[in-house]
Amino acid sequence: MILQIFCVHDTKAEVYRTPFFMKTRGEAIRAFKDLANDKNTAIAKHPGDYRLCHIGEFDDEYCTLVYAERITGLGFGSDYLDLPSGAIPLGIVKEG
């Protein structure tokens, strides 16, 4: 199975957090949206400081990891605040 690789860029600390894997970009967007709206997370406390990024793909059958030619930003935490269910921020193109 091909898994997508994402990470969160902390723009104030100038670091990328530990990468994580999801089946689809939609799953990662939903998880990031949940974090941005959960007042107990650092992302919710400083939503303009954190940006979701897609960085590549991992094939768990052949153990291959392919980094994207360039990092794709999928919006800042502030872009995801109080969006209706199923909505994504303007400028973020849905897959498929």
Side-chain angles (χ1 to χ4, degrees):
M1 170 183 288
I2 303 294
L3 297 172
Q4 302 303 308
I5 310 169
F6 301 90
C7 67
V8 174
H9 181 210
D10 181 339
T11 63
K12 290 295 190 275
E14 300 176 348
V15 297
Y16 288 88
R17 300 297 177 188
T18 303
F20 62 96
F21 302 84
M22 294 279 188
K23 291 178 190 173
T24 66
R25 188 165 68 165
E27 284 184 317
I29 287 172
R30 180 175 51 211
F32 188 67
K33 178 180 171 184
D34 289 347
L35 290 171
N37 286 282
D38 179 348
K39 300 300 181 195
N40 296 314
T41 67
I43 293 172
K45 291 177 183 171
H46 307 282
D49 295 352
Y50 295 94
R51 180 174 66 130
L52 178 62
C53 299
H54 178 257
I55 62 170
E57 295 181 336
F58 173 71
D59 184 330
D60 68 355
E61 183 177 352
Y62 298 103
C63 192
T64 56
L65 194 141
V66 178
Y67 289 102
E69 288 185 28
R70 65 182 175 86
I71 294 170
T72 302
L74 297 172
F76 286 85
S78 54
D79 298 326
Y80 289 87
L81 297 179
D82 302 319
L83 285 176
S85 179
I88 59 173
L90 291 175
I92 305 298
V93 179
K94 284 188 176 184
E95 288 181 312

